[in-house]
Amino acid sequence: MDTSLQQVYEEIPIEQAPQWWREPSTHAECSLHQLAPYIGKTKSSIAGDLIDRYSKKDDLVIDPFAGAGTIPLEAVLRGRHTFAADISPYARILTKAKLSPPRTLQTALNRTQRVLAESQTLPRPDLRSIPRWIRQFFHPQTLGEALRFAEVARRPGNEFLMACFLGILHHQRPGFLSYPSSHLVPYLRDKKYPRSDFPEMYNYRALEPRLLSKVQRAYKRFQWAHQTKTKFRQSSVERLQLPEQFDAVITSPPYMNALDYGRDNRLRLWFIDPSFAQSVDNGITTRQRAFINGLMSLAVKLEGGLKRRGYCIFIVGEEIRRSFSAHPAEIVATIARKYAPSLRLRQVFADDIPDIRRTRRDCRGVKTEHFLVFQRN
Ligand SMILES: C[S@@+](CC[C@H](N)C(=O)[O-])C[C@H]1O[C@@H](n2cnc3c(N)ncnc32)[C@H](O)[C@@H]1O
């Protein structure tokens, strides 16, 4: 293990994370977790275990870097109140969709039908006004339906439907809307599946049946039992106002340039808001100084609001760009010591991220996560 990190952690030994954290959980997790993909997403089984270990029923658990909403959803499923935030509009859609889904499958299906019907009353969009990089992903008729649907689904209160739509936006499988393309990050696979050899993959794909089956899949392992309070704020961590007091913090800050939340979600972000600029993270993932500033402002807020004996867990990716002089876990531990002096580091887990969970398997990006468990005096 890195000696400099062990020095930063002082006398706290680095423990191996439980073996079962590495086991797949997608077959058993609440199906709302699978609404749509998100790079750098926390594994739901790990999020659930951290919530069990470090909070109790009716606690208020906060996550200022909520991303796909994995930690807030696990919190409400376990009877915790939750306050979530993220700078990204895509994170807003996914987290709100998971925290406030329609109560039953039937309600969700009825609402889908209503929004589809309303979208069909809108005038047909002029596809020539749509940027070429968007057009190249879709059959023109599919794109026309998608544009009209998104116009209605983007209204506040429709986040669940928007999330289902974004979840089927691009992939080559038949249940998706695009020409052959990857799922997590939008790249056309027209070299692997040329139009001349795979003409059926370039046919019109109707939105309605695909969306209805997506909504059904969302309820496969989900029954409404949310009885706790939930809140989401779309905000940078620097501007975020946290609740006055909270019982636990469980969060995974952006991985300092190992991931690019704007570029990798560009197609979904465009459908959420076509006028939205591509950058979603005000430099926090690309510049070490911005990462430090973001975490410093968070540490000061945690010092002010975390209840006594409350836990604060940071999930931090280990590997970063060579141009960064310090390891992100080292930065988090050092900042916490200085700006949140009442937090004590109690435990550190290390967990290798299996290749299967990594976005780009051949990059120098994140390979190991450290879980830093602090407790307030
Ligand atoms: C590692 S991801 C969180 C993953 C999340 N736990 C999940 O399961 O999806 C980090 C998140 O930080 C967000 N982010 C980046 N810069 C931010 C900033 N300045 N303020 C708040 N959130 C930011 C990104 O949009 C991204 O969703």
Side-chain angles (χ1 to χ4, degrees):
M1 183 57 237
D2 201 4
T3 46
S4 66
L5 253 185
Q6 187 60 75
Q7 280 160 11
V8 175
Y9 296 159
E10 292 177 342
E11 76 285 8
I12 307 296
I14 298 170
E15 298 168 46
Q16 260 317 306
Q19 187 61 34
W20 70 266
W21 279 11
R22 304 220 180 128
E23 285 163 20
S25 60
T26 45
H27 59 285
E29 70 187 2
C30 169
S31 42
L32 286 184
H33 282 299
Q34 293 161 16
L35 281 182
Y38 200 89
I39 52 163
K41 183 171 160 177
T42 307
K43 207 170 157 187
S44 62
S45 53
I46 300 180
D49 193 30
L50 292 173
I51 289 159
D52 281 340
R53 285 174 191 235
Y54 300 111
S55 69
K56 53 187 190 319
K57 199 169 169 302
D58 290 325
D59 274 359
L60 173 58
V61 176
I62 70 163
D63 179 0
F65 300 106
T70 317
I71 295 167
L73 174 58
E74 284 298 313
V76 295
L77 292 172
R78 288 170 157 71
R80 277 63 163 165
H81 306 284
T82 188
F83 175 92
D86 198 288
I87 197 170
S88 159
Y90 182 37
R92 165 174 55 82
I93 298 289
L94 291 187
T95 306
K96 284 191 157 189
K98 289 172 192 182
L99 296 181
S100 321
R103 295 203 171 208
T104 63
L105 171 61
Q106 199 49 55
T107 324
L109 291 171
N110 294 345
R111 200 178 288 174
T112 313
Q113 296 282 19
R114 275 206 305 277
V115 171
L116 279 164
E118 186 180 344
S119 75
Q120 282 150 15
T121 64
L122 298 178
R124 283 181 197 283
D126 177 2
L127 298 188
R128 287 169 306 181
S129 65
I130 305 301
R132 222 178 87 78
W133 73 271
I134 306 283
R135 274 187 282 143
Q136 67 177 0
F137 278 92
F138 304 97
H139 184 284
Q141 198 177 340
T142 308
L143 180 57
E145 289 178 9
L147 290 168
R148 290 196 285 175
F149 179 80
E151 204 171 320
V152 185
R154 129 171 6 115
R155 291 186 200 142
N158 283 336
E159 289 82 7
F160 173 79
L161 283 186
M162 186 54 135
C164 289
F165 166 73
L166 297 174
I168 57 166
L169 195 61
H170 52 89
H171 199 0
Q172 67 263 14
R173 295 213 189 121
F176 292 74
L177 299 173
S178 71
Y179 291 150
S181 143
S182 42
H183 188 31
L184 188 57
V185 175
Y187 290 107
L188 274 177
R189 288 187 168 152
D190 47 356
K191 298 228 163 35
K192 186 169 178 193
Y193 303 106
R195 199 185 274 259
S196 49
D197 298 345
F198 299 91
E200 72 290 350
M201 291 180 108
Y202 294 82
N203 287 345
Y204 158 62
R205 296 180 172 212
L207 170 62
E208 180 165 341
R210 289 174 173 79
L211 191 61
L212 289 170
S213 33
K214 174 72 191 175
V215 169
Q216 278 183 324
R217 292 201 294 282
Y219 284 79
K220 195 169 163 198
R221 279 182 310 279
F222 168 64
Q223 268 196 332
W224 178 278
H226 295 27
Q227 271 156 6
T228 53
K229 291 189 213 104
T230 66
K231 193 167 264 182
F232 177 87
R233 288 261 178 280
Q234 188 184 328
S235 164
S236 73
V237 73
E238 297 86 343
R239 289 168 166 259
L240 182 64
Q241 202 181 346
L242 293 180
E244 219 164 280
Q245 282 213 307
F246 39 90
D247 302 279
V249 185
I250 304 179
T251 198
S252 161
Y255 286 159
M256 295 230 308
N257 207 44
L259 301 174
D260 183 334
Y261 300 95
R263 186 191 59 210
D264 291 353
N265 293 317
R266 59 190 177 276
L267 199 52
R268 299 188 183 97
L269 284 166
W270 189 88
F271 275 92
I272 293 168
D273 180 358
S275 65
F276 187 73
Q278 289 301 303
S279 170
V280 293
D281 65 12
N282 70 352
I284 199 167
T285 61
T286 51
R287 297 196 307 269
Q288 186 165 315
R289 191 65 242 169
F291 183 76
I292 292 172
N293 289 343
L295 285 174
M296 271 170 16
S297 78
L298 178 60
V300 171
K301 291 170 203 175
L302 299 185
E303 177 74 11
L306 183 60
K307 287 192 194 159
R308 291 196 65 198
R309 319 300 302 158
Y311 285 98
C312 169
I313 294 94
F314 282 101
I315 306 170
V316 194
E318 188 190 295
E319 254 194 51
I320 49 158
R321 253 191 350 178
R322 277 190 215 116
S323 57
F324 291 146
S325 51
H327 188 300
E330 189 178 329
I331 296 179
V332 171
T334 312
I335 289 176
R337 187 164 304 135
K338 187 156 177 207
Y339 295 93
S342 66
L343 297 190
R344 288 274 167 276
L345 188 60
R346 295 280 185 221
Q347 260 179 311
V348 177
F349 297 109
D351 188 27
D352 290 337
I353 304 181
D355 235 21
I356 196 149
R357 270 178 54 215
R358 300 179 53 209
T359 315
R360 290 186 201 84
R361 304 203 178 151
D362 52 350
C363 77
R364 293 188 311 272
V366 178
K367 286 189 188 133
T368 310
E369 275 170 333
H370 280 203
F371 297 76
L372 274 51
V373 180
F374 295 90
Q375 189 179 24
R376 184 159 191 168
N377 280 340

